[in-house]
Amino acid sequence: MNNIKTYLFSAFLLIAIVTIQAQNATFEWSDLSSNTKVGLQNPTLVFPSVSGFTTYTLEKQGTQVFAPESIFITKFNANGDAGKTIDFSLPKRALKDATLLKIIEGKDKLYVFSFIAVKKDKKNVLYAQVYDNSTGIVSETKEVYTLPIEKVNTSGFFEVQLSEDKNTFAILVNKPFIKKTKENIEVVILDADLNTISNAKHTLSFDSERAYREKLYVDNDATVTIVKKTDIFKKEPVTSVITIKGDEITQQQVSANQFYISDNRVVTIKDKQYLLGFATDNAKPAVSMGGAKDKSFFIYNITDQKLIKNQEWNPEITKRILGKGFIDLKVIDVIVQNDDIFLIGDRFSEESKPIPGQNFEYNYTYNFGPGVVVKLNTNGDVAYDSLIQYGEEYKNHMKPLGSFKPFIKDNTIHFFANEKVSILEEKKIVFGWKNINAKAIVTKKLESDGSLSINAFKSGIVGGKDNVVDFAPTKTIQLDNNTYYIYALGNKYQAFGKMTME
């Protein structure tokens, strides 16, 4: 009964804060298939075209906990029907399987980066395997970088990033840890064919240790930015920004007393770099509560080395969300339109419990929502900070279904999302698990005042067994202004399809 009351309250609250409108779209769904099928578990959609799209997924070879992994790639036609699946294994060296570092979508190519550190031959090697979507061929494994090492547990590590125009790769090589020395790095710039353009070695002002986290960015002009967090388990964690252009390097500390950055994104606007994200004035609860309670959003001018704005959330967000523990807020997108910047965030948290009687096996619960969107400009003028009210809970393989996906249509920002059918139909009382969980695809339009209007598709109910299948907005790819390939996953069923907005 308490669950029903909570559900009804959430439904009434959502109806009160948004306007629900109806719009038309046509949907072409493939046949539903088991989401446990080898090669189609937890797929990511890439390479949209008029003839179809492609998916890739990383899966274990066998049921053992530490079983090696393979990449599975499947091509789909425009109706969402699967064609041939190819698979290939990650590299091996000295009978040791590579560890996946990152999969990056380029221009009709999929880049799979992995690494192997072996004590016997004293080297840590970064590998790349490239899938050409036009030919369906996977290249021979390429050794991108070889790092000499003495021990595996102090073998250094790599990070890889691709520029927005998909022409330039940056490889950040963090050299092996050496006591009582400063940190040594190397930045390697590659073209889209993984040919080396340049490399530069630098010694940073940080101690050579691994008690930090960092993010890597690369601009179209090969400017590399590293956002590094040190003292992450202390009361006053430090965030620094390192900018590298060829042999030139600039280091600056961004965080300050009572200004501790939790998550961020780097963007370039009119030849200047900016750091945007979320922050807190008290990082101490991060250890005990599982994350810092974000209290503000900010914009920092990296090029001019100055904080432009650090602003607390508006009272409504503070009252409705922050007081209940608004932690683990992540930046999911930054959209720049003319002089306007839209900072979009989403809350995510993960819980796990061991499965009784099983070794190294856990049941996971993934919680998403609510989301936030902030409209501001490079001068720090804030138009609004608004709440994207929703909440989702998923288990195990359903992790990717959380969140929402922002997109631009007719120069306006919209969000693809799920919504309860009962809310759209304004049912006052809903009984039965099937009816309560039935969902439909909607878009949420961001109005000029920061409010959201729900646009429900008249034919947008996602099918599946008992209609209990969720549309996956984080796995939607756009073909053109009106056409999208979409993915849905429900109780042991999944479907691919095409949505054409009218």
Side-chain angles (χ1 to χ4, degrees):
M1 182 61 69
N2 289 334
N3 291 336
I4 294 178
K5 290 180 179 179
T6 301
Y7 167 75
L8 291 175
F9 174 76
S10 300
F12 294 144
L13 180 62
L14 182 58
I15 292 171
I17 64 175
V18 297
T19 302
I20 298 179
Q21 304 171 357
Q23 60 184 14
N24 288 322
T26 57
F27 295 84
E28 300 173 46
W29 289 100
S30 64
D31 293 335
L32 296 170
S33 61
S34 170
N35 58 38
T36 60
K37 181 180 178 180
V38 174
L40 284 177
Q41 301 172 23
N42 194 24
T44 297
L45 281 62
V46 290
F47 307 132
S49 70
V50 293
S51 60
F53 59 95
T54 302
T55 67
Y56 71 85
T57 179
L58 177 71
E59 298 177 17
K60 292 182 179 180
Q61 297 176 335
T63 59
Q64 296 179 355
V65 174
F66 300 107
E69 296 174 314
S70 291
I71 308 296
F72 292 83
I73 299 177
T74 305
K75 280 198 171 186
F76 287 76
N77 63 22
N79 296 321
D81 298 320
K84 182 180 178 181
T85 296
I86 68 169
D87 67 276
F88 57 95
S89 300
L90 296 178
K92 289 188 176 188
R93 194 174 86 253
L95 302 179
K96 188 174 182 180
D97 296 298
T99 300
L100 179 69
L101 177 64
K102 183 177 286 186
I103 300 177
I104 298 178
E105 178 186 357
K107 292 181 178 179
D108 216 30
K109 292 182 178 180
L110 203 64
Y111 299 84
V112 180
F113 292 94
S114 59
F115 63 93
I116 306 175
V118 178
K119 181 180 179 180
K120 185 177 181 179
D121 59 16
K122 295 186 176 181
K123 60 183 182 181
N124 187 3
V125 180
L126 176 66
Y127 298 98
Q129 295 160 285
V130 183
Y131 166 77
D132 190 322
N133 192 57
S134 62
T135 63
I137 297 175
V138 180
S139 69
E140 295 292 330
T141 301
K142 180 174 182 177
E143 294 189 10
V144 178
Y145 189 96
T146 298
L147 180 61
I149 64 172
E150 293 295 330
K151 299 178 180 179
V152 172
N153 60 351
T154 57
S155 59
F157 58 94
F158 307 101
E159 182 54 275
V160 184
Q161 191 57 266
L162 180 63
S163 61
E164 186 177 2
D165 63 6
K166 299 185 178 181
N167 290 327
T168 306
F169 280 99
I171 310 293
L172 173 62
V173 183
N174 293 85
K175 298 298 181 68
F177 164 75
I178 302 175
K179 291 183 178 180
K180 298 181 180 180
T181 64
K182 295 301 180 182
E183 181 183 359
N184 292 308
I185 66 170
E186 186 170 351
V187 174
V188 183
I189 303 298
L190 311 174
D191 62 18
D193 294 321
L194 301 180
N195 298 313
T196 301
I197 299 174
S198 66
N199 59 358
K201 298 179 181 179
H202 299 279
T203 299
L204 305 181
S205 61
F206 303 90
D207 292 335
S208 179
E209 60 182 19
R210 292 294 173 261
Y212 60 75
R213 301 182 185 130
E214 60 188 15
K215 289 186 177 182
L216 176 68
Y217 303 89
V218 58
D219 280 355
N220 296 338
D221 66 353
T223 298
V224 173
T225 305
I226 305 168
V227 180
K228 182 187 289 286
K229 293 183 179 181
T230 54
D231 297 336
I232 55 178
F233 298 113
K234 296 182 180 180
K235 294 181 180 180
E236 297 185 357
V238 176
T239 300
S240 302
V241 173
I242 303 157
T243 306
I244 301 172
K245 178 65 174 177
D247 293 327
E248 299 180 0
I249 182 170
T250 302
Q251 302 180 60
Q252 56 183 300
Q253 181 174 320
V254 177
S255 59
N257 182 36
Q258 295 187 329
F259 173 51
Y260 312 114
I261 297 172
S262 56
D263 197 29
N264 56 263
R265 183 75 60 87
V266 172
V267 297
T268 300
I269 305 172
K270 296 181 179 178
D271 298 325
K272 288 192 175 184
Q273 283 190 311
Y274 297 88
L275 185 73
L276 298 100
F278 310 118
T280 181
D281 60 0
N282 180 12
K284 185 178 180 180
V287 176
S288 60
M289 296 177 58
K293 183 181 290 187
D294 296 292
K295 294 187 177 181
S296 62
F297 55 89
F298 72 91
I299 177 170
Y300 181 93
N301 188 322
I302 296 175
T303 304
D304 296 338
Q305 301 191 20
K306 65 178 181 180
L307 179 64
I308 299 173
K309 174 65 68 71
N310 179 39
Q311 180 168 310
E312 293 186 358
W313 297 105
N314 69 56
E316 179 186 8
I317 291 179
T318 301
K319 179 180 179 180
R320 293 173 57 185
I321 302 300
L322 293 181
K324 299 177 182 179
F326 198 17
I327 61 176
D328 298 305
L329 187 62
K330 306 297 182 184
V331 178
I332 64 170
D333 211 340
V334 175
I335 297 175
V336 180
Q337 283 188 308
N338 301 320
D339 294 327
D340 296 323
I341 306 171
F342 296 87
L343 172 63
I344 302 168
D346 188 21
R347 180 188 179 275
F348 169 74
S349 64
E350 177 181 318
E351 300 175 1
S352 64
K353 293 183 179 180
I355 299 176
Q358 302 294 327
N359 294 325
F360 305 105
E361 293 188 32
Y362 299 85
N363 280 322
Y364 290 90
T365 301
Y366 308 101
N367 296 290
F368 296 84
V372 291
V373 57
V374 180
K375 180 182 179 181
L376 71 166
N377 59 28
T378 55
N379 295 321
D381 302 316
V382 178
Y384 55 75
D385 52 314
S386 298
L387 187 68
I388 304 175
Q389 179 65 47
Y390 86 106
E392 299 286 2
E393 179 180 293
Y394 301 102
K395 295 182 183 296
N396 296 341
H397 62 280
M398 296 182 72
K399 175 180 179 179
L401 291 185
S403 190
F404 45 83
K405 182 176 179 62
F407 68 98
I408 299 175
K409 180 176 172 60
D410 300 326
N411 208 35
T412 302
I413 295 178
H414 301 255
F415 300 93
F416 279 128
N418 296 312
E419 195 53 81
K420 300 279 188 179
V421 174
S422 54
I423 292 178
L424 298 175
E425 297 177 353
E426 298 189 33
K427 294 181 179 179
K428 304 303 181 183
I429 299 177
V430 179
F431 294 103
W433 183 83
K434 298 176 184 178
N435 295 328
I436 290 176
N437 287 278
K439 291 187 178 181
I441 299 173
V442 301
T443 64
K444 297 184 179 182
K445 179 182 178 182
L446 184 61
E447 305 291 353
S448 59
D449 61 353
S451 62
L452 291 173
S453 58
I454 289 184
N455 297 289
F457 299 118
K458 295 179 181 178
S459 58
I461 296 178
V462 178
K465 188 175 182 179
D466 301 323
N467 286 334
V468 186
V469 178
D470 291 323
F471 165 59
T474 52
K475 292 192 176 181
T476 294
I477 51 177
Q478 186 172 4
L479 176 59
D480 54 41
N481 192 46
N482 295 308
T483 309
Y484 303 81
Y485 290 115
I486 58 180
Y487 173 75
L489 174 65
N491 184 21
K492 297 183 180 180
Y493 293 90
Q494 63 183 358
F496 301 91
K498 182 170 66 174
M499 173 176 60
T500 304
M501 299 175 62
E502 299 175 3

